[in-house]
Amino acid sequence: VDLLRQTKLAATSHPGTVFTSVGGVAQNIARAAHLLGANAVLVASLGQDAHGTAVAADLNRMGMDTRFLQYPGSGARTAIYNALHGPNGDLVAAVADMHINGLLSPQQIEEAFSSLRPRAVCVDANVSMPAIVTTLMQARESGACVVFEPTSVPKCTNVLSALLVIKHSHAVADVSSLVHMITPNSLELQRMSEAALELALVEGVPTAATVSEIAKFHYSLDASVIRNLLTLFPLFPTVVVKLGEQGAAVISPSPRNATRPIIRHIQPLKPSLVENSSGAGDSLVGAILAQLHTRSELVSPDGSLSLAPQELDTIVSRAQRVAIMAIESMHTVSDRLNPDALNKD
């Protein structure tokens, strides 16, 4: 559940506008994908409280499959994201009560995989380490594409810890094939790059000369973004970096040589108005997943992406339009979404 507030002053109590909607990273992503035409299923935990009842009712109302919603009980509260926005719609501060997300059981995930046999899955960093490990191992066994949404700087490295667990406890020597796409912002990208080096999941950073050479062709991209993309490329073959007003940065393998990365800058789109920015990134990820769902040929039998750079760029550009629709709405995911939103050029 998202509680969004708009006010002109933050130092004391002042009149403002309070708006309540169904939210949360996983729900936002699933909602966007569902409204865009994908057969999205949300696997998540809800509290046995008024908020949980409202969330389930809303998902049922829109026709989403709710079979895999879990109710842990024991006083667990439905997750709440309480955000304060300035008059221009930008985030000022937020409080996230997400404890219940850590209670999602691996058994629930295993049952979902067994029943649904998905071609693509998205896991975010709000869930527990066992839940991430289970998702990656189930996807590996079933040949599903895995998209990881880092969620926040403190949580974004959870997937790296999960890869270490899999490497040492499940005897998977090459963990670079387990996560096919990650969707960080620039701060999360920086932290994930640092942590991957600290954990020895990648071997080193690109040389300054290499970064400088690439920067010549992408002068609008910060050199640190280029360096971090190249650092993580051996571990995560496709990365879409959400750069807000600067658009997006993308890295993916060359069609001619999968070990050679190609970096691109997707130019930004401008909203006609800014209501709130809370759900823009989630909407973008949901739109990417919806396009992978509707074009099943883009996912190989082993779960890896079969995407030419131009195809990926088109997918990200269309997803940006969906993110803009979220920014123009008080809802974290625009209620104007429909499958045609991905087809308007």
Side-chain angles (χ1 to χ4, degrees), residues 284-309:
L284 182 141
V285 177
I288 291 173
L289 287 163
Q291 293 173 86
L292 294 180
H293 170 82
T294 54
R295 295 185 59 193
S296 58
E297 74 277 8
L298 300 180
V299 179
S300 301
D302 64 354
S304 61
L305 290 171
S306 180
L307 271 171

Side-chain angles (χ1 to χ4, degrees), residues 51-91:
H51 289 310
T53 300
V55 170
D58 186 70
L59 296 177
N60 281 316
R61 175 193 59 78
M62 61 186 291
M64 189 182 294
D65 190 335
T66 59
R67 286 177 294 162
F68 296 98
L69 294 178
Q70 175 182 291
Y71 297 85
S74 302
R77 301 179 302 277
T78 298
I80 297 287
Y81 176 75
N82 193 341
L84 177 67
H85 291 265
N88 61 355
D90 288 337
L91 181 66

Side-chain angles (χ1 to χ4, degrees), residues 200-280:
L201 286 169
V202 293
E203 294 184 354
V205 298
T207 65
T210 298
V211 174
S212 178
E213 184 65 25
I214 294 175
K216 292 179 182 178
F217 300 96
H218 302 287
Y219 58 88
S220 54
L221 284 180
D222 190 271
S224 65
V225 170
I226 296 172
R227 182 178 63 253
N228 292 327
L229 283 171
L230 293 173
T231 299
L232 288 173
F233 176 73
L235 192 60
F236 303 116
T238 301
V239 182
V240 178
V241 187
K242 296 167 287 191
L243 298 175
E245 294 180 353
Q246 296 178 334
V250 178
I251 190 170
S252 63
S254 165
R256 297 180 180 179
N257 182 353
T259 64
R260 178 177 175 266
I262 299 178
I263 294 177
R264 287 92 69 201
H265 182 202
I266 309 299
Q267 294 299 317
L269 301 176
K270 300 296 183 182
S272 58
L273 76 161
V274 177
E275 289 289 358
N276 91 88
S277 57
S278 292

Side-chain angles (χ1 to χ4, degrees), residues 113-334:
F113 268 94
S114 176
S115 175
L116 301 170
R117 300 189 180 281
R119 293 298 298 123
V121 299
C122 180
V123 59
D124 70 52
N126 280 319
V127 298
S128 69
M129 179 72 63
I132 296 176
V133 170
T134 300
T135 300
L136 299 187
M137 292 303 294
Q138 288 289 311
R140 179 175 182 258
E141 292 175 12
S142 62
C145 173
V146 176
V147 177
F148 175 70
E149 165 49 45
T151 307
S152 68
V153 172
K155 297 178 181 179
C156 66
T157 59
N158 289 353
V159 71
L160 302 175
S161 300
L163 292 176
L164 273 185
V165 169
I166 291 171
K167 189 172 185 177
H168 297 303
S169 301
H170 296 264
V172 178
D174 182 13
V175 294
S176 64
S177 60
L178 297 184
V179 179
H180 305 98
M181 178 189 293
I182 62 173
T183 56
N185 61 29
S186 58
L187 294 177
E188 294 158 354
L189 178 74
Q190 173 72 34
R191 180 65 194 118
M192 292 182 74
S193 175
E194 294 169 348
L197 289 166
E198 293 165 2
L199 297 172
L201 286 169
V202 293
E203 294 184 354
V205 298
T207 65
T210 298
V211 174
S212 178
E213 184 65 25
I214 294 175
K216 292 179 182 178
F217 300 96
H218 302 287
Y219 58 88
S220 54
L221 284 180
D222 190 271
S224 65
V225 170
I226 296 172
R227 182 178 63 253
N228 292 327
L229 283 171
L230 293 173
T231 299
L232 288 173
F233 176 73
L235 192 60
F236 303 116
T238 301
V239 182
V240 178
V241 187
K242 296 167 287 191
L243 298 175
E245 294 180 353
Q246 296 178 334
V250 178
I251 190 170
S252 63
S254 165
R256 297 180 180 179
N257 182 353
T259 64
R260 178 177 175 266
I262 299 178
I263 294 177
R264 287 92 69 201
H265 182 202
I266 309 299
Q267 294 299 317
L269 301 176
K270 300 296 183 182
S272 58
L273 76 161
V274 177
E275 289 289 358
N276 91 88
S277 57
S278 292
D282 298 342
S283 294
L284 182 141
V285 177
I288 291 173
L289 287 163
Q291 293 173 86
L292 294 180
H293 170 82
T294 54
R295 295 185 59 193
S296 58
E297 74 277 8
L298 300 180
V299 179
S300 301
D302 64 354
S304 61
L305 290 171
S306 180
L307 271 171
Q310 296 86 349
E311 289 178 305
L312 179 57
D313 295 354
T314 298
I315 285 173
V316 175
S317 295
R318 289 174 174 170
Q320 275 197 135
R321 294 204 300 267
V322 173
I324 290 295
M325 292 174 70
I327 292 173
E328 295 172 344
S329 170
M330 277 303 296
H331 296 272
T332 49
V333 175
S334 173

